[in-house]
Every structure is written in structure tokens, then in C-alpha cells.
């Protein structure tokens, strides 16, 4: 990924100011007319002209706007006083920005408790999932046999079946164990729910570690476990951290299982508590709603920003190689 | 299938294979910690769930659950509300997946170019991807809000107020489904874009340059060099996206809760209501199985693509 960086400096120059752009447009026209009698060189230059560049930048800006505008609106709404929220002509920038919505959000719903529940469920389930998944991922990556094929197949299938087919029996099982409306029950579900993806990503990371390194250690007389811990594990560490954080984020964001399994208000996680703000819908509640929603997003946004590149690589490796 | 056919393609294959077999036999203890919870809490419940589809299981009922054979299935066949929801689910999944793929492909190609704001696009792409679906739903409710929302205000400022003044996009019978589809596209596009972008980075640069030397234009280079290399990833991403969209729940639950008048009631929302509002566990499980039918077709497409990718390697 990083190998391509230097290129950008070179090629993006020359798109700068107006006059240059206009000159390039003129060139395009002549190039186009020439194109029919087409020398390869002429056609090649066409793609580099300013017209193409302008189009590309227009598309990019449109994309940026589409990505950013709901989020900017959320931020704007979170800082608006009730008077501005009730206005018929809403403005992008609050005229009298206030933190009042945040204060109200905390008094309307038990946000700290909900955040604590989310944190607990996400952190514990991510930790357990990683501890369970790493050894298995190692085996799946290194050995190809019936088990690894079955496991890979299960990983794919489990990503695909409708959750309702699993949650009903899980609900009944957990009810039998008296673990409905319990944080332990939710954590158990989250562990199993994040295992496929953890396996998927970790298997990709293990494959990236050359087996020759392990073989060399084995030749030197290290046992399997020793080899794993002293050779493979350190190389895997960044991948393991990325996977754990990803499992954390998915659990932090999860809604369906938490909605079904947790009934007592004191045990509910943040996403479920957020929907309580929607209950009595009115203009006056929009502010606290936006404020709470914004707060609930920050942890996953920050963590995700840290690991995003690794995630993509890991998912890609898992998705296209078996 | 077995170890004998497993391909250690490195040189010195025979000795290698023997060593691997020996080590594989001792690998079981590494697998068990994950395998046991998977069997108990994932495979088990899945089979249990399939079994429930053939029973009259209900929540909070005193008499025993009975096996009712195909009764739920015949009920489902005659349940027009379910078929409506099934159709809505398909429209939603197509409506989100297809535009999302083409937009994401275009954007991936765009971001693959050395453009100046590329870093910003990548940084912003994180937002929809990392956000809880619940928050995405809440955020777009704020955007779509009839009075305090920015959408109507923007349309007003563009002089389109006559058609849209005070329009509540999420409650309109005709506008609700398109409105939630837009949100679905928004929410899933970055992930698809970034995945395709990562795929593009595996397309050999030399091939591109060679094709360019031979006088191939942009479209031709895309068709003959980029697309063949990208296709397995594109296929995998699209199939999985379709499946995930068809099965999705939280986004639409928050946006409309299936309303207005069931116009956005995705199958998952219907099954959720049936199971956890009306307590009809058996019937809801049957709905889940019906959804699996759709999913299986796409899963087959995806797996076929994977296997083919395996052969090509």
C-alpha cells in the first residue's frame, strides 16, 4: 500500500490553477480529433488531460460531500439549542452552540451505565474470542485437511444465515440456563458471534508468516509450543491486536442480540439505550438524541481509525483465499 | 479432501507432507478451545432453530411444544404479509447492493488514481463503516426530519420547496423504501470501496503499463487488465453484501421500524416481531428458513467463485 505514495506527488501536479486547466482543455479537443487516426502516444495523453482530472475531482468532491453531510448534520444538531432545533429554516452552523443537549442526554437516559455495559461486553467478548480463535486460526492456516475445510465452510456459512434462526434457539437455551437478561449470556453470544470473523482474519494473518521461520526453529530443536510462542506469536501480534479491536468494535456497535437478550434498563448496552431516545419523538428531543448518538460513536470511530488499514487487508485475505 | 491430496506445493513435497501429517495429528488441542463453543453455541442452535421450524413453539406457553410437520410452511405460503416482506427484502437488497457496487467500483478506481484529496476520502470512509448501525439510523432520521432536517431545507434552498415542503420522507408510502435504500447505500459503500481498492492494489502495475504501451485506452485497460484481476473480489463482495443486506435489521428498525404500513418491513423485522413481540418462535424460525433459501443461492455463487479462485492459484 505504501509503495505507491511517491507517485501521487508527481502525477497530481499540473492540475492547479484556472488558466492551466483551460489550456489543457484545449489540448484535449485537439487530441480527441486526432484520436481517430490514433497513434498510441496520442491516446495515452488523453487520459492525463485536465478535463479528465476535473471530472475526477468533481466526482471525488461529490463523494466527500455525500459521506460527510449526514455526519456534519449530526454534529450540528447535537450543539443546537432547542430554539434553533424548532426553527423552520435549520442552519448548518448553530448560531448559539450549547452543551445543553449533552447534559440533557445524560439526565434522560442512563448513559454512563449503558456505556459501562457496552464496554464490558465488548472488551470481555473480544478478549475471549481472540484467545479461543488464535490457536484454531493457526491450524486452519497451516494444515489443509477435512477439519480446516469444514471450519472454513462454517465461517462462510455463519456469516450468511439470518440471525433470527440462531437467536430464537439461543434465547431458549440461555433461558434454560437462566442467562437471559444477563451480561454473561450476552458475552457468550458475542464470543461465538465474533469467532468466525476473528478466525477469518487471523487465518489470513497466519498465512502471511512464512512457515520456513517455524521450520527453522524446529530444526534448531524448539518444540511446537515453544516455536509458536517465540517465533510465530510475535509476528502475529499486530494482526491479533487488529482482530481484537475489530471484535471489540463490532460488539460495541451490536444491536440485535442486545435488544433481544437484555430487558432490564440497568443492563442494556449503549445502542439499545439510544433507541429509547426515539420513544417520545418530538422536536425538543432531537438535540439530546444527536448528542447521545455522537458520544456513542466516538470510541468505535477512534479505534477504527487506528486499525482500518489492517482490517481491510485481513478481510481481503480471508475473503478471497481459502 | 484428506491430507493425502492436500497440496504442499513447496519443493521437497514428499518429506514435507510426512512432517505435516505428523504435526497435524498433534494439532487437535489447538482447535478444541474454539471448536467446542462453536459447536455448542452456533452449530447446535442453528440445528435447533431448523428443528423449531417444524414445531408450534411459543414463548411463555405452559403445554409442551409439539411437532407439527410442515404446518408452519403451509401457513407461510399463504401469508401474504410475509410474501410482501420477502419482496421488500429483495427490492431492498438489490436496491442497496447494485448501486453500491457500481458506485464503490467507480470510487475505488478514482481513489486508486493519485488525486490530492484521496487521503481525506479514505479518512472519511471510516465514518459510515465504524458507526453503530443504530447511530446511522438516528443520524439519517435527523437528516430526513420533515422540519428540522437538512434535506428538506436544502431542497427548499434549491427552489424545490413546492414538491417537498414539510415532506416526511420516512413516513411517505412511496418514499419510505427509497429513503431507507439511500441510507443502506451510504452505510455500506465505504467498506465495499475500500475492499475493492485493496483489490486494485493487487492488480499488477506492469500489466497496466504494458497495455498502455500497446495503446490500450482506459476502458480497454480496465476490461482486459483490471477487471479480470478484480473479478473474484468483486464477486465475493457483491454476494456477501447481498446476503448481509437481505438479512439486515438494525438500520431499518431504527429508521422506520418497518413502517409506514409495512412498506419497509424487511423479512428480519417481520421474523423479529413474530418471535419477540408475538412469541411465535416456531413460525419465526420457519421464516428464517425461508430466508435461508435466498441466501443459499448467493452463497453458492460466492463459494463457486472461491473454489474457482482456488484452482487458479
Amino acid at each position: 500500500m505504501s509503495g505507491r505514495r511517491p507517485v501521487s506527488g508527481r502525477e497530481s501536479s499540473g492540475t492547479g490553477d484556472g488558466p492551466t486547466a483551460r489550456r489543457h482543455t484545449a489540448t484535449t479537443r485537439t487530441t480527441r480529433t486526432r484520436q481517430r487516426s490514433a497513434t498510441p502516444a496520442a491516446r495515452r495523453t488523453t487520459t492525463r488531460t485536465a478535463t479528465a482530472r476535473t471530472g475526477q475531482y468533481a466526482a471525488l468532491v461529490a463523494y466527500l460531500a455525500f459521506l460527510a453531510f449526514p455526519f456534519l448534520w449530526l454534529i450540528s444538531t447535537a450543539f443546537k439549542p432547542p430554539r434553533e432545533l424548532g426553527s423552520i429554516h435549520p442552519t448548518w452552523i448553530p448560531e448559539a452552540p450549547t452543551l445543553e443537549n449533552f447534559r440533557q442526554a445524560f439526565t434522560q437516559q442512563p448513559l454512563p451505565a449503558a456505556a459501562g455495559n457496552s464496554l464490558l461486553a465488548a472488551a470481555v467478548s473480544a478478549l475471549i474470542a481472540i484467545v479461543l480463535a488464535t490457536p484454531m486460526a493457526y491450524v486452519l492456516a497451516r494444515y489443509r485437511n477435512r477439519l480446516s475445510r469444514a471450519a472454513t465452510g462454517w465461517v462462510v456459512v455463519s456469516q450468511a444465515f439470518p440471525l433470527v434462526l440462531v437467536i430464537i434457539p439461543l434465547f431458549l437455551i440461555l433461558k434454560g440456563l437462566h442467562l437471559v437478561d444477563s451480561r454473561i449470556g450476552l458475552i457468550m453470544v458475542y464470543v461465538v458471534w465474533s469467532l468466525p470473523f476473528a478466525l477469518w482474519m487471523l487465518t489470513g494473518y497466519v498465512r502471511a508468516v512464512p512457515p520456513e521461520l517455524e521450520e527453522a526453529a524446529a530444526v534448531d530443536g524448539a518444540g511446537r509450543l515453544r516455536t509458536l510462542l517465540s517465533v510465530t506469536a510475535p509476528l502475529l501480534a499486530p494482526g491479533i491486536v487488529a482482530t481484537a479491536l475489530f471484535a471489540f468494535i463490532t460488539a460495541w456497535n451490536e444491536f440485535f442480540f442486545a435488544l433481544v437478550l437484555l430487558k432490564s434498563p440497568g443492563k442494556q448496552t449503549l445502542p439499545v439505550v439510544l433507541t429509547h431516545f426515539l420513544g417520545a419523538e418530538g422536536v425538543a428531543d432531537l438535540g439530546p438524541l444527536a448528542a447521545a448518538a455522537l458520544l456513542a460513536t466516538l470510541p468505535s470511530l477512534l479505534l477504527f481509525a487506528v486499525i482500518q488499514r489492517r482490517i481491510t487487508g485481513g478481510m481481503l485475505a480471508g475473503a478471497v483465499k481459502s | 479432501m484428506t491430507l493425502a491430496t492436500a497440496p504442499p506445493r513447496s519443493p521437497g513435497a514428499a518429506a514435507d507432507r510426512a512432517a505435516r501429517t505428523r504435526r497435524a495429528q498433534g494439532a487437535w488441542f489447538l482447535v478444541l478451545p474454539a471448536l467446542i463453543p462453536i459447536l455448542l453455541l452456533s452449530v447446535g442452535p442453528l440445528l435447533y432453530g431448523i428443528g423449531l421450524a417444524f414445531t408450534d413453539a411459543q414463548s411463555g406457553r405452559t403445554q409442551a411444544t409439539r411437532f407439527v410437520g410442515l404446518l408452519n410452511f403451509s401457513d407461510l405460503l399463504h401469508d401474504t404479509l410475509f410474501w410482501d416482506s420477502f419482496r421488500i427484502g429483495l427490492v431492498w437488497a438489490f436496491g442497496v447492493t447494485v448501486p453500491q457496487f457500481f458506485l464503490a467500483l467507480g470510487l475505488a478506481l478514482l481513489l486508486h488514481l493519485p488525486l490530492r484529496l484521496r487521503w481525506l476520502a479514505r479518512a472519511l470512509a471510516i465514518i459510515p463503516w465504524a458507526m453503530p448501525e443504530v447511530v446511522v439510523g438516528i443520524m439519517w432520521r435527523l437528516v430526513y426530519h420533515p422540519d428540522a432536517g437538512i434535506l428538506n431545507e436544502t431542497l427548499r434552498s434549491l427552489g424545490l420547496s413546492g414538491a417537498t415542503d414539510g415532506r416526511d420522507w420516512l413516513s411517505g408510502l412511496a418514499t419510505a423504501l427509497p429513503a431507507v435504500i439511500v441510507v443502506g447505500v451510504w452505510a455500506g459503500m465505504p467498506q465495499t470501496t475500500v475492499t475493492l481498492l485493496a483489490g486494485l492494489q493487487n492488480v499488477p502495475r506492469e500489466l497496466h503499463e504494458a497495455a498502455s504501451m500497446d495503446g490500450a485506452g482506459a476502458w480497454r485497460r480496465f476490461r482486459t487488465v483490471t477487471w479480470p484481476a478484480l473479478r473474484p473480489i468483486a464477486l465475493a463482495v457483491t454476494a456477501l453484501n447481498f446476503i448481509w443486506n437481505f438479512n439486515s435489521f438494525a438500520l431499518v428498525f431504527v429508521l422506520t421500524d418497518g413502517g409506514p404500513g409495512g412498506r419497509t418491513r424487511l423479512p428480519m423485522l417481520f421474523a423479529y416481531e413474530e418471535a419477540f413481540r408475538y412469541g411465535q418462535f416456531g413460525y419465526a424460525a420457519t421464516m428464517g428458513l425461508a430466508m435461508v433459501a435466498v441466501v443459499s443461492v448467493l452463497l453458492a455463487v460466492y463459494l463457486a467463485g472461491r473454489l474457482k479462485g482456488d484452482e487458479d492459484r
Side-chain angles (χ1 to χ4, degrees):
Chain A
M1 283 187 201
S2 50
R4 289 179 25 261
R5 282 226 169 152
V7 186
S8 68
R10 178 169 55 88
E11 287 189 35
S12 64
S13 60
T15 24
D17 52 326
T20 327
R22 235 171 285 136
R23 232 182 300 134
H24 275 272
T25 319
T27 330
T28 321
R29 256 179 233 126
T30 50
T31 318
R32 274 216 194 110
T33 42
R34 249 189 288 143
Q35 202 178 331
R36 266 175 226 115
S37 57
T39 68
R43 249 183 268 156
R44 209 157 58 239
T45 42
T46 319
T47 59
R48 299 209 172 176
T49 55
T51 334
R53 269 293 135 91
T54 315
Q56 286 161 2
Y57 275 103
L60 188 61
V61 168
Y63 172 57
L64 291 176
F66 182 54
L67 272 187
F69 95 95
F71 192 63
L72 293 177
W73 187 244
L74 177 70
I75 296 172
S76 163
T77 309
F79 289 99
K80 277 183 183 171
R83 191 177 42 81
E84 285 185 51
L85 284 169
S87 149
I88 317 167
H89 292 291
T91 48
W92 272 105
I93 298 166
E95 282 154 23
T98 171
L99 292 174
E100 178 59 20
N101 292 325
F102 292 88
R103 201 191 59 78
Q104 271 198 28
F106 279 90
T107 53
Q108 283 179 15
Q109 296 292 338
L111 288 183
N117 293 336
S118 282
L119 183 68
L120 183 79
V124 174
S125 65
L127 197 67
I128 298 176
I130 285 300
V131 170
L132 299 181
T134 309
M136 183 159 174
Y138 177 79
V139 173
L140 294 188
R142 285 289 185 261
Y143 310 109
R144 282 199 164 205
N145 53 30
R146 231 173 291 155
L147 172 76
S148 73
R149 274 168 192 276
T152 319
W154 171 80
V155 165
V156 175
V157 170
S158 69
Q159 295 297 299
F161 51 67
L163 291 181
V164 71
L165 210 51
V166 199
I167 191 64
I168 299 171
L170 269 178
F171 183 83
L172 292 171
I173 293 169
L174 291 174
K175 207 172 156 198
L177 298 169
H178 301 286
L179 288 173
V180 168
D181 198 23
S182 120
R183 297 184 188 93
I184 296 175
L186 187 70
I187 288 171
M188 281 166 65
V189 172
Y190 279 0
V191 167
V192 177
W193 179 62
S194 53
L195 271 177
F197 229 86
L199 279 173
W200 179 303
M201 285 176 61
L202 285 169
T203 307
Y205 287 125
V206 175
R207 277 220 188 86
V209 176
E212 289 75 25
L213 289 178
E214 285 161 22
E215 277 150 25
V219 168
D220 290 347
R224 188 218 313 270
L225 204 59
R226 174 92 194 277
T227 313
L228 273 183
L229 291 178
S230 62
V231 179
T232 320
L235 292 168
L236 274 183
I240 290 178
V241 171
T243 311
L245 288 178
F246 192 65
F248 178 92
I249 294 166
T250 22
W252 176 272
N253 293 349
E254 204 282 329
F255 178 64
F256 184 65
F257 291 132
L259 176 75
V260 171
L261 292 176
L262 300 173
K263 291 299 165 207
S264 340
K267 291 176 184 168
Q268 286 174 337
T269 57
L270 213 42
V272 179
V273 169
L274 282 181
T275 60
H276 296 338
F277 282 99
L278 293 170
E281 201 197 338
V283 176
D285 281 322
L286 292 180
L289 172 68
L294 194 57
L295 286 180
T297 307
L298 288 182
S300 36
L301 271 188
L302 291 176
L303 287 181
F304 205 84
V306 175
I307 54 165
Q308 181 250 339
R309 288 197 164 218
R310 293 197 151 271
I311 295 290
T312 319
M315 287 202 327
L316 202 65
V320 285
K321 296 163 196 154
S322 70
Chain B
M1 288 292 154
T2 57
L3 269 171
T5 58
R9 283 182 192 168
S10 50
D16 225 38
R17 210 179 296 161
R20 270 162 199 250
T21 313
R22 233 178 303 119
R23 279 188 292 156
Q25 278 158 356
W28 271 96
F29 76 98
L30 293 173
V31 176
L32 288 178
L35 197 59
I36 290 168
I38 285 171
L39 290 176
L40 288 182
L41 287 167
S42 185
V43 178
L46 185 63
L47 297 175
Y48 186 1
I50 294 171
L52 277 173
F54 300 90
T55 70
D56 62 352
Q58 290 174 14
S59 78
R61 203 171 62 156
T62 42
Q63 68 264 52
T65 295
R66 285 177 310 142
F67 177 80
V68 294
L70 294 172
L71 189 65
N72 287 332
F73 290 87
S74 75
D75 282 351
L76 196 69
L77 277 177
H78 298 107
D79 190 339
T80 48
L81 283 181
F82 178 74
W83 289 111
D84 282 345
S85 123
F86 208 74
R87 187 180 49 78
I88 290 166
L90 287 175
V91 171
W92 148 268
F94 269 110
V96 174
T97 309
V98 173
Q100 187 172 286
F101 174 73
F102 285 106
L103 285 172
L105 180 62
L107 287 165
L109 291 169
L110 190 66
L111 296 181
H112 197 54
L113 297 169
L115 298 180
R116 270 181 193 171
L117 289 171
R118 197 167 60 157
W119 66 271
L120 185 61
R122 287 179 182 196
L124 280 178
I126 288 171
I127 295 176
W129 193 357
M131 250 185 180
E133 277 183 294
V134 167
V135 175
V136 174
I138 288 172
M139 189 169 77
W140 278 87
R141 278 180 73 144
L142 297 174
V143 169
Y144 282 136
H145 196 281
D147 311 314
I150 191 63
L151 181 63
N152 279 348
E153 180 58 22
T154 308
L155 292 172
R156 216 172 288 152
S157 69
L158 292 174
L160 296 166
S161 58
T164 65
D165 231 11
R167 183 187 281 267
D168 191 347
W169 299 91
L170 292 170
S171 316
L173 288 179
T175 56
L177 189 55
V180 295
I181 285 175
V182 168
V183 182
V185 172
W186 183 87
M189 205 168 63
Q191 184 179 351
T192 312
T193 307
V194 174
T195 311
L196 291 176
L197 192 54
L200 280 179
Q201 280 157 2
N202 295 333
V203 178
R205 201 160 249 276
E206 306 77 53
L207 272 184
H208 243 279
E209 276 154 18
S212 188
M213 290 292 193
D214 292 346
W219 166 244
R220 215 189 141 85
R221 285 202 305 273
F222 173 77
R223 230 189 33 175
T224 56
V225 180
T226 312
W227 181 245
L230 197 62
R231 211 183 47 178
I233 294 164
L235 197 68
V237 166
T238 310
L240 284 178
N241 275 346
F242 192 95
I243 291 170
W244 284 331
N245 287 326
F246 187 70
N247 289 339
S248 71
F249 175 80
L251 200 58
V252 177
F253 179 86
V254 172
L255 279 167
T256 61
D257 195 12
R263 291 297 163 98
T264 59
R265 193 196 279 134
L266 304 182
M268 262 296 279
L269 283 140
F270 199 178
Y272 165 78
E273 275 177 20
E274 207 60 44
F276 296 102
R277 285 188 188 154
Y278 307 122
Q280 301 293 337
F281 286 160
Y283 193 51
T286 313
M287 289 181 180
L289 267 188
M291 293 173 68
V292 168
V294 167
V295 162
S296 312
V297 174
L298 284 140
L299 205 57
V301 171
Y302 171 67
L303 287 174
R306 265 175 84 108
L307 291 179
K308 191 164 177 311
D310 241 20
E311 280 163 22
D312 292 349
R313 268 200 307 156

